[in-house]
Amino acid sequence: RQDYDLKELKERQKQQLRQKAMKKGLDPEALTGKYPPKIQTTSKFERGADTKTYLDKQKYFNGGWEILYCEFLEKDWKLKFEDFSQHAKAKLPKWFGERPGKKSRRTGFT
């Protein structure tokens, strides 16, 4: 009789824990085990629960400084290119006298 009562109590407690877990938004079997469920914390030094998604955490480790530096260079290049493209295109100066690279007619032999 006592054995039966203990089983009944354990079963009732399990049911209550399942309800409690469902209420907290956990897996129904989370609180019925021997140990409580693990909570992922932001770091091992802080006790707060981690609210970041996997993709947010992944961004911390993808490239980092290289990506920021590339973005900076790209932005800088665009600004300089805009400044350069707004300048008026200057014509080349006309040559007076002998042009470089062209042979003169007076290179005759006597």
Side-chain angles (χ1 to χ4, degrees):
R1 175 85 185 142
Q2 191 178 11
D3 231 12
Y4 178 75
D5 287 341
L6 283 174
K7 281 183 185 176
E8 196 68 32
L9 279 172
K10 278 187 181 180
E11 195 60 43
R12 203 176 295 157
Q13 188 182 22
K14 260 190 177 182
Q15 194 62 34
Q16 287 173 343
L17 288 172
R18 279 193 194 109
Q19 293 298 324
K20 191 175 179 183
M22 292 284 281
K23 192 175 179 184
K24 288 186 176 185
L26 298 169
D27 181 45
E29 299 295 318
L31 300 176
T32 58
K34 188 174 179 185
Y35 303 106
K38 285 188 177 181
I39 297 172
Q40 191 170 10
T41 56
T42 38
S43 77
K44 65 180 183 178
F45 305 109
E46 296 176 16
R47 294 187 66 109
D50 195 7
T51 56
K52 293 179 193 71
T53 63
Y54 176 73
L55 292 173
D56 291 340
K57 290 182 208 169
Q58 199 176 26
K59 286 178 188 172
Y60 288 130
F61 301 102
N62 283 350
W65 175 248
E66 292 92 16
I67 290 176
L68 290 174
Y69 187 63
C70 286
E71 287 173 358
F72 170 74
L73 286 178
E74 188 75 25
K75 189 170 65 174
D76 197 35
W77 185 85
K78 282 181 182 175
L79 285 172
K80 288 185 180 182
F81 184 75
E82 282 179 24
D83 290 346
F84 176 76
S85 60
Q86 288 174 359
H87 287 271
K89 293 183 177 158
K91 293 183 178 178
L92 292 173
K94 289 194 172 188
W95 291 97
F96 295 103
E98 219 176 277
R99 288 189 304 183
K102 186 166 186 179
K103 294 180 181 176
S104 65
R105 292 181 193 163
R106 285 187 264 141
T107 57
F109 296 98
T110 52

